Amino acid sequence: MKADETRRKIVIAADHLFYEQGFENASFADIAQAVEISRGNFYYHFKTKDAVLAAVIEYRLDERKTMLRLWELEEDNPANRIKNFINILIANQTKIMAFGCPVGTLCSELAKLDHALKPEASGLFTLFAEWLEQQFAELGCGDQASDLAMHLLMRSQGVASLANTFQDAEFVRREVEAMYKWLDQQCPPKRPM
Amino acid sequence: MKADETRRKIVIAADHLFYEQGFENASFADIAQAVEISRGNFYYHFKTKDAVLAAVIEYRLDERKTMLRLWELEEDNPANRIKNFINILIANQTKIMAFGCPVGTLCSELAKLDHALKPEASGLFTLFAEWLEQQFAELGCGDQASDLAMHLLMRSQGVASLANTFQDAEFVRREVEAMYKWLDQQCPPKRPM
DNA sequence: GACTGCCTAGGTCATTCGTCCTAATAAATT
DNA sequence: AATTTATTAGGACGAATGACCTAGGCAGTC
């Protein structure tokens, strides 16, 4: 069906626009123009803007899940998997410096709008938090796994936020290095009695 | 002059509304209603919405500067001054969980809007960064002072962001505790972050 | 009491937005 | 070929927004 393809194009274009301009600031017209379809056609695929947002969140969730699954296949050392996560800050540095973290800024915007889909957007964070917790657990961090996961998520959010504000690539590099070092210090060494 | 008072009321109301609803989402009508003045009267005091934003940023800067100066007067131990900064997360916990960090969310929104006043808003971060750097310098951290200041700012941003997303007071408490511990480890003895 | 400058009230205007409708076209099925 | 279904086009609508204007009220001063 052609509709599926058009729908997918819309979601991807909306994904970019919501990230770069924010959800509220990106209009139907903007998205339609990006996909090169008419506003009427747009309405055929999505009845409301919230429906687009819901589809974008689902798309982002799918993308992240795929990425995490790939890391699990490619790398069986949980510490290295966690390093993959930290490395997002480097891999996406340019976009993060320009627009911040896609997940964090969306959650923050939806919180201010008191939007009904805020919990769905938070699900993106939950996905990462639970995945990181799993990795820390495999590392042998036991009941600390959850706290460590939240701590690392917190740092990546903080770095993204300040990277966006200060446009300082050196700062990002430094903090990523510090996260690596912090990671190495977690869990083992297991001290002898 | 009555105008000064009305203007001040407008700025304070706009400050709150920009924080709780976001800059774009807060309309002239919203602010005018909060101050209980007519939209026409509003226009007498501020010609454009950007002018309101500029005034709000200046107001926030003044407030923070006053707060930092007070901390310097009340507390001559730089470590305790830094603890005051960390404690903002506890003192403003309710608001932060509801609306995020006033500085961070504003900067992030203005970045997405590609707004002309983004540098002015970033000035709020710079104020804290330079003040923290000064405190770390007085602590004897030498040329690390700047990096440590940015690191602490980063952590407070990350905590505010996740606090807003997850509404988890226990997480905030835990991370504040971790920041205290981290602070105690800085300068001397020099330890990795 | 009239004048002048500061302040306020309420309304208008053009624009943009999300939403929705209808008619036309393309594709699929019979 | 005929009919039905899927997809697209373009415009219309009301609501909301930022911006702007003008008329009037209220000081204080001469």
Side-chain angles (χ1 to χ4, degrees), chain B residues 28-84:
Chain B
F28 269 27
D30 290 337
I31 305 172
Q33 190 180 14
V35 190
E36 289 180 315
I37 61 173
S38 65
R39 289 190 332 285
N41 187 6
F42 195 110
Y43 183 69
Y44 173 79
H45 295 279
F46 292 97
K47 298 297 177 193
T48 68
K49 201 180 177 186
D50 286 358
V52 184
L53 177 59
V56 166
I57 293 175
E58 201 183 341
Y59 171 72
R60 289 190 185 181
L61 265 173
D62 284 347
E63 268 207 324
R64 269 69 173 175
K65 279 179 189 169
T66 303
M67 181 182 68
L68 295 179
R69 212 175 298 126
L70 191 68
W71 288 351
E72 288 170 10
L73 290 175
E74 287 178 348
E75 181 62 63
D76 52 316
N77 179 355
N80 285 337
R81 291 179 188 164
I82 296 172
K83 283 187 184 173
N84 276 342

Side-chain angles (χ1 to χ4, degrees), chain B residues 43-182:
Chain B
Y43 183 69
Y44 173 79
H45 295 279
F46 292 97
K47 298 297 177 193
T48 68
K49 201 180 177 186
D50 286 358
V52 184
L53 177 59
V56 166
I57 293 175
E58 201 183 341
Y59 171 72
R60 289 190 185 181
L61 265 173
D62 284 347
E63 268 207 324
R64 269 69 173 175
K65 279 179 189 169
T66 303
M67 181 182 68
L68 295 179
R69 212 175 298 126
L70 191 68
W71 288 351
E72 288 170 10
L73 290 175
E74 287 178 348
E75 181 62 63
D76 52 316
N77 179 355
N80 285 337
R81 291 179 188 164
I82 296 172
K83 283 187 184 173
N84 276 342
F85 171 79
I86 297 172
N87 243 331
I88 297 178
L89 288 167
I90 302 291
N92 300 345
Q93 194 173 44
T94 307
K95 291 219 137 200
I96 288 175
M97 290 206 296
F99 311 111
C101 165
V103 180
T105 53
L106 179 64
C107 281
S108 140
E109 181 177 1
L110 296 187
K112 301 233 177 203
L113 296 174
D114 202 20
H115 197 283
L117 290 177
K118 191 203 161 193
E120 275 72 13
S122 305
L124 282 157
F125 267 134
T126 308
L127 175 68
F128 281 116
E130 290 178 348
W131 185 84
L132 283 171
E133 180 180 352
Q134 176 67 25
Q135 307 314 309
F136 279 110
E138 288 184 20
L139 252 183
C141 300
D143 54 2
Q144 284 213 318
S146 171
D147 292 358
L148 295 174
M150 285 291 284
H151 179 80
L152 190 56
L153 205 55
M154 174 278 284
R155 285 172 81 149
S156 76
Q157 274 304 295
V159 171
S161 171
L162 291 199
N164 182 21
T165 300
F166 291 115
Q167 308 280 332
D168 185 345
E170 179 56 29
F171 160 76
V172 176
R173 198 202 54 71
R174 215 165 50 227
E175 286 295 338
V176 164
E177 206 58 44
M179 281 189 243
Y180 283 156
K181 204 182 272 182
W182 170 85

Side-chain angles (χ1 to χ4, degrees), chain A residues 19-20 25 99 105 112-113 118 125 147 151 154 157-159 161-162 164-167 174-175 185, chain B residues 19 25 99 105 112-113 118 125 147 150-151 154 157-159 161-162 164-167 174-175 192:
Chain A
Y19 178 35
E20 298 179 2
N25 205 242
F99 312 111
T105 54
K112 301 231 180 205
L113 296 175
K118 192 204 162 191
F125 266 134
D147 292 357
H151 179 81
M154 175 277 284
Q157 273 304 294
V159 172
S161 171
L162 291 199
N164 182 23
T165 299
F166 290 115
Q167 309 280 333
R174 214 165 50 225
E175 287 295 339
Q185 289 174 344
Chain B
Y19 177 35
N25 205 242
F99 311 111
T105 53
K112 301 233 177 203
L113 296 174
K118 191 203 161 193
F125 267 134
D147 292 358
M150 285 291 284
H151 179 80
M154 174 278 284
Q157 274 304 295
V159 171
S161 171
L162 291 199
N164 182 21
T165 300
F166 291 115
Q167 308 280 332
R174 215 165 50 227
E175 286 295 338

Side-chain angles (χ1 to χ4, degrees), chain A residues 24-40:
Chain A
E24 276 276 312
N25 205 242
S27 69
F28 268 31
D30 290 336
I31 305 171
Q33 189 180 12
V35 190
E36 288 180 317
I37 63 174
S38 65
R39 290 193 324 288

